């Protein structure tokens, strides 16, 4: 885990998945700053906000309305470096579709694929 508490952007349209993510995160690092969005397009608007503090990690669900996780990653890829910062991007899904894992591996900005719900051990490994 990092020496200072991380700033994490969580994008998932499922309330239960956000709840379990938050619960596991609080057990690992109660001081972590969590910014939550149900929709990826709203998260992108946040990332474009002038003067916002940079995030360290982004976790995005694949299957969401309006903009799915891969579409988010494509738009994120096109952001200016100063908007992207140094954040590491991970996609999360309950899907077992092997093409999702392959798309994750092929995308230049996605750092990994994790099955939902993200376990405390997996989260600890990332942070």
């Amino acid at each position: 885990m990092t020496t200072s508490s991380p700033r994490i952007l969580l994008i998932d349209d499922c309330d239960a998945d956000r709840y379990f993510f938050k619960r596991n995160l609080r057990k690992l690092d109660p001081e972590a700053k969590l910014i939550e969005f149900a929709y990826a397009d709203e998260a992108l608007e946040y990332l474009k906000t002038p003067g916002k503090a940079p995030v360290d990690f982004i976790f995005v669900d694949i299957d969401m309305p309006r903009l799915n996780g891969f579409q988010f990653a494509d738009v994120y890829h096109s952001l200016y470096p100063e908007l992207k910062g140094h954040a590491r991007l991970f996609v999360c899904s309950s899907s077992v579709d092997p093409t999702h894992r392959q798309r994750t591996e092929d995308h230049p900005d996605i750092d990994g694929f994790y099955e939902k719900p993200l376990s405390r051990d997996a989260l600890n490994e990332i942070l």
Side-chain angles (χ1 to χ4, degrees), residues 7-39:
R7 292 180 56 84
I8 298 169
L9 184 63
L10 174 61
I11 310 159
D12 197 323
D13 63 319
C14 178
D15 292 338
D17 287 334
R18 286 196 319 269
Y19 169 80
F20 287 116
F21 183 95
K22 191 180 330 185
R23 192 177 91 188
N24 284 335
L25 177 63
R26 294 290 170 238
K27 288 180 180 179
L28 288 174
D29 187 348
E31 301 302 315
K33 170 71 172 155
L34 182 63
I35 304 135
E36 299 177 63
F37 290 96
Y39 300 105

Side-chain angles (χ1 to χ4, degrees), residues 14-83:
C14 178
D15 292 338
D17 287 334
R18 286 196 319 269
Y19 169 80
F20 287 116
F21 183 95
K22 191 180 330 185
R23 192 177 91 188
N24 284 335
L25 177 63
R26 294 290 170 238
K27 288 180 180 179
L28 288 174
D29 187 348
E31 301 302 315
K33 170 71 172 155
L34 182 63
I35 304 135
E36 299 177 63
F37 290 96
Y39 300 105
D41 56 337
E42 294 171 353
L44 285 166
E45 287 306 311
Y46 170 79
L47 289 171
K48 295 176 186 177
T49 303
K52 64 127 184 76
V55 296
D56 300 301
F57 300 96
I58 299 171
F59 294 89
V60 62
D61 183 24
I62 290 176
D63 188 24
M64 294 185 296
R66 297 176 14 186
L67 195 68
N68 71 38
F70 291 116
Q71 291 166 325
F72 170 87
D74 290 341
V75 176
Y76 177 78
H77 178 72
S78 70
L79 291 178
Y80 293 112
E82 61 270 16
L83 296 177

Side-chain angles (χ1 to χ4, degrees), residues 57-122:
F57 300 96
I58 299 171
F59 294 89
V60 62
D61 183 24
I62 290 176
D63 188 24
M64 294 185 296
R66 297 176 14 186
L67 195 68
N68 71 38
F70 291 116
Q71 291 166 325
F72 170 87
D74 290 341
V75 176
Y76 177 78
H77 178 72
S78 70
L79 291 178
Y80 293 112
E82 61 270 16
L83 296 177
K84 287 169 50 173
H86 64 277
R88 296 182 62 207
L89 173 62
F90 298 93
V91 294
C92 304
S93 180
S94 51
S95 168
V96 292
D97 184 345
T99 62
H100 287 169
R101 287 186 187 272
Q102 188 60 51
R103 283 184 73 184
T104 298
E105 291 173 15
D106 293 343
H107 199 282
D109 282 317
I110 298 175
D111 292 298
F113 176 94
Y114 286 88
E115 290 182 22
K116 291 191 325 182
L118 198 63
S119 71
R120 194 173 324 147
D121 288 340

